[in-house]
Amino acid sequence: MAKDPGRVLIFDTTLRDGEQSPGASLNLEEKLAIAQQLARLGVDIIEAGFPFASQGDFAAVQRIAEQVGGEDGPIICGLSRASESDINACAKALMPAPKKRIHTFIATSDIHLEHKLKKSRSEVLKIVPEMVQYARSLVDDVEFSCEDAARSDYNFLYEVIEAAIAAGASTINIPDTVGYTTPAEFGDLIYKINENVPNIDEAILSVHGHNDLGLAVANFLEAVKNGARQLECTINGIGERAGNAALEELVMSLHVRRSYFNPYFGRVADSPTPLTAIRTEEITKTSRLVSNLTGMVVQPNKAIVGANAFAHESGIHQDGVLKNRLTYEIVDAQTVGLSDNRISLGKLSGRSAVRARLEELGYDLSREDLNDAFARFKDLADRKREITDRDLEAIVSEQVQLPEAFFQLHLVQVSCGTALKPTATVTISDKEGREKTSVSLGTGPVDAVVRALNSLTDERNELVEFSVKSVTEGIDALGEVTIRLRRDGVLFSGHSADTDIVVAAAQAYINALNRLVSSKGRRSIHPQKDTVKSTSRPSL
Ligand code: KIV
Ligand code: ZN
């Protein structure tokens, strides 16, 4: 049996694999805000990015290492392909973190060896110990992943794992890179690794998996039963293609069904000791932050964090829940931090009340950011009688998106209605502060606004998604708008909230355009699609 920490370690890869979701790219401030929230959530390891990818990725990992990784905080981890230059960049970016980990990987399946790496098994078997050893010469904590492990030849996998452990890897990660495996099969693979790798007791066994067949969480739970003790997952399950295993689903499965899983940890079934170190009350807030900043909307029926996950629509269910909530509820909404959205503040609330509530919600803002947040709060309180926690969260998460602003929105005005042709007037300024105004007609008010903005910014793009949802109930609720733009096959998302959805749409559009503009000229390497040979090293 592999080295056992006595519980499951949660390795969060929202900022690395999650950010590989199309259109989910985050700026440095956004990554930092998410990392800080992940630390509050209590994850054991934060995979902060792939430092070799670009200057921006390097800087983000470095800032997170500086500001989030503390002696009592999470381990900060960076990804690197099995190459010296990747590993160097990773070690350099992680330097400020007291607890740091290099995560290096290479593919082991014949499909990847033949078509992607163009290497033989023996070549891979030589690279693995060399690169693990090299990473160990720079940091004490090294994780090694066999990419596409689930489709690899098991005997070759055992050899690679044994070599990686002998070279100093203390965590061995088994990815189901393409979401191909099934629960029994994946559990069996973990069991067999434990049985067939002679030095497996010297490492923690970890799993990583994608959700192409919707099986990632089920696969992981079966892996846990067979000895996996680290789970690599993302908030809201975001990630490449159909995403990664969802952190909230894994954690709540281990929480709600603790007595079922306890015996696999050598505990008595009714042991009350948690199986993870996650503060479950932080789950909802983390989910909303990630959704707001990445623009990846959470489907309403998503387990644990979907808007309907705790809603009891049907009369029979409501009646049952009122008699005894156990009739239809297996999770108390408060366990995941879903409060009653209690009304906290209003028009007359002062700066210190707003600051105190933000602090209670986990937002420790600088003086400047607090000034901004308070101005936005006042503006909203003029239009909306009661300001809820959700409204405050919407204000703060929008603020985090602003630092890379290239265009700024100054005015939006629309006229529309049954007898009118929708017409929009917009004024924006560019980075030099030059103001420009344009008027456009459209098929509807949002179309008119978008046409007017496009005529001013001259940034070629295609609008591929426009969605609106309300933050809270009530006619005066904030409307949250998410917009996705595409240029040259790359997606850029923008998000904004306002009581006026046309204003929110205009601001969301500007936020998406700002991302598009700031990504220009930035070359970013994909850790899995770009092979080591075909890429030259950007200067760091
Ligand atoms: O899916 C995968 O195999 C990965 C590895 C880089 C761990 O993301
Ligand atoms: Zn992955």
Side-chain angles (χ1 to χ4, degrees):
M1 184 52 106
K3 192 161 73 185
D4 191 348
R7 64 172 173 85
V8 169
L9 302 176
I10 298 293
F11 176 113
D12 182 278
T13 183
T14 306
L15 294 173
R16 198 277 297 169
D17 214 327
E19 212 220 1
Q20 289 175 212
S21 315
S25 72
L26 297 159
N27 68 34
L28 196 147
E29 297 299 325
E30 292 165 343
K31 286 185 184 174
L32 190 61
I34 291 178
Q36 279 160 341
Q37 179 55 29
L38 290 172
R40 281 191 284 270
L41 177 67
V43 306
D44 299 283
I45 302 112
I46 294 177
E47 186 162 54
F50 171 42
F52 189 81
S54 65
Q55 302 272 10
D57 285 60
F58 180 92
V61 175
Q62 194 174 41
R63 269 286 283 287
I64 292 169
E66 263 162 29
Q67 297 192 10
V68 185
E71 284 299 346
D72 302 323
I75 295 170
I76 308 298
C77 172
L79 183 71
S80 61
R81 295 166 300 178
S83 96
E84 281 194 13
S85 4
D86 274 40
I87 293 172
N88 285 339
C90 211
K92 200 166 158 195
L94 291 172
M95 196 100 77
K99 294 195 289 184
K100 44 184 158 283
R101 172 180 298 182
I102 292 179
H103 175 194
T104 188
F105 76 98
I106 193 163
T108 48
S109 69
D110 288 338
I111 300 176
H112 276 229
L113 263 59
E114 188 184 336
H115 301 288
K116 182 175 97 163
L117 298 180
K118 309 211 183 316
K119 289 196 189 308
S120 65
R121 287 188 186 178
S122 55
E123 283 173 298
V124 168
L125 200 50
K126 185 168 171 290
I127 293 171
V128 171
E130 278 173 9
M131 289 304 111
V132 169
Q133 220 162 29
Y134 184 64
R136 270 304 303 271
S137 72
L138 303 173
V139 299
D140 291 338
D141 183 350
V142 173
E143 168 170 337
F144 173 73
S145 283
C146 321
E147 191 191 11
D148 206 18
R151 292 192 300 171
S152 300
D153 175 83
Y154 285 10
N155 289 320
F156 178 55
L157 206 53
Y158 306 149
E159 280 187 81
V160 170
I161 295 172
E162 186 181 354
I165 296 174
S170 47
T171 303
I172 294 294
N173 184 41
I174 309 299
D176 176 22
T177 302
V178 291
Y180 178 74
T181 196
T182 63
E185 206 179 11
F186 202 47
D188 184 53
L189 171 59
I190 300 303
Y191 177 84
K192 287 188 169 138
I193 290 172
N194 272 318
E195 287 293 299
N196 291 295
V197 177
N199 53 1
I200 197 71
D201 281 350
E202 294 165 37
I204 288 180
L205 252 181
S206 165
V207 286
H208 176 109
H210 288 263
N211 211 22
D212 299 65
L213 297 175
L215 295 173
V217 169
N219 291 339
F220 276 29
L221 294 175
E222 212 50 36
V224 165
K225 286 163 61 181
N226 286 282
R229 290 295 176 263
Q230 175 181 285
L231 305 181
E232 301 201 353
C233 43
T234 60
I235 302 296
N236 302 335
I238 65 170
E240 289 270 0
R241 305 181 308 279
N244 285 63
L247 179 148
E248 61 280 359
E249 295 176 19
L250 289 164
V251 167
M252 292 312 291
S253 297
L254 293 168
H255 178 84
V256 174
R257 300 305 312 277
R258 191 167 51 219
S259 57
Y260 172 76
F261 288 102
N262 271 337
Y264 295 100
F265 290 76
R267 306 173 179 188
V268 291
D270 58 1
S271 164
T273 313
L275 285 169
T276 71
I278 295 295
R279 292 176 203 101
T280 59
E281 331 72 74
E282 294 288 329
I283 285 178
T284 301
K285 198 200 312 163
T286 317
S287 159
R288 285 177 183 159
L289 183 70
V290 169
S291 171
N292 287 347
L293 296 184
T294 57
M296 305 280 291
V297 177
V298 175
Q299 74 196 58
N301 59 325
K302 162 90 175 62
I304 313 298
V305 291
N308 294 351
F310 296 93
H312 294 282
E313 287 289 343
S314 98
I316 298 173
H317 285 204
Q318 283 175 355
D319 183 53
V321 169
L322 285 177
K323 285 180 181 136
N324 183 334
R325 64 168 202 86
L326 291 178
T327 50
Y328 286 102
E329 252 182 41
I330 58 162
V331 184
D332 177 349
Q334 288 184 356
T335 314
V336 294
L338 194 64
S339 66
D340 311 330
N341 231 338
R342 82 183 159 91
I343 295 154
S344 47
L345 302 163
K347 201 178 160 119
L348 300 176
S349 307
R351 219 181 112 88
S352 49
V354 172
R355 188 187 54 209
R357 190 65 200 134
L358 281 169
E359 276 172 11
E360 274 168 40
L361 289 171
Y363 296 102
D364 189 10
L365 301 188
S366 68
R367 206 184 147 78
E368 238 172 64
D369 286 345
L370 182 66
N371 286 345
D372 270 8
F374 187 60
R376 285 158 169 264
F377 164 81
K378 278 292 187 199
D379 179 45
L380 181 60
D382 278 339
R383 291 178 282 149
K384 188 172 187 290
R385 203 164 51 86
E386 294 154 344
I387 309 289
T388 65
D389 292 347
R390 284 286 282 121
D391 294 326
L392 281 181
E393 280 170 7
I395 288 174
V396 177
S397 65
E398 190 173 337
Q399 211 169 303
V400 182
Q401 295 187 28
L402 294 179
E404 282 189 345
F406 186 87
F407 298 116
Q408 283 203 8
L409 182 69
H410 294 288
L411 175 124
V412 191
Q413 228 170 36
V414 275
S415 57
C416 57
T418 46
L420 291 171
K421 228 177 166 18
T423 311
T425 308
V426 298
T427 303
I428 61 166
S429 63
D430 62 18
K431 206 145 197 159
E432 280 74 44
R434 287 183 297 243
E435 285 203 2
K436 299 188 260 185
T437 298
S438 175
V439 180
S440 281
L441 297 175
T443 53
V446 173
D447 184 49
V449 165
V450 166
R451 282 172 193 272
L453 289 172
N454 270 339
S455 71
L456 291 177
T457 55
D458 217 13
E459 291 295 344
R460 179 176 51 82
N461 71 77
E462 181 196 349
L463 180 79
V464 290
E465 188 187 317
F466 167 71
S467 70
V468 189
K469 71 176 200 269
S470 72
V471 172
T472 52
E473 291 101 48
I475 199 73
D476 63 350
L478 278 178
E480 273 183 328
V481 175
T482 301
I483 277 188
R484 275 169 192 271
L485 308 178
R486 184 165 42 210
R487 175 145 89 187
D488 301 332
V490 183
L491 288 172
F492 302 91
S493 54
H495 175 91
S496 185
D498 198 284
T499 48
D500 182 329
I501 58 159
V502 177
V503 174
Q507 187 60 58
Y509 196 79
I510 287 287
N511 291 347
L513 275 180
N514 280 333
R515 278 175 202 265
L516 183 150
V517 173
S518 61
S519 79
K520 271 198 223 161
R522 273 201 216 154
R523 197 167 65 89
S524 206
I525 294 168
H526 190 289
Q528 291 161 273
K529 292 177 188 148
D530 294 307
T531 50
V532 173
K533 241 189 335 186
S534 68
T535 56
S536 57
R537 180 162 191 254
S539 54
L540 295 168

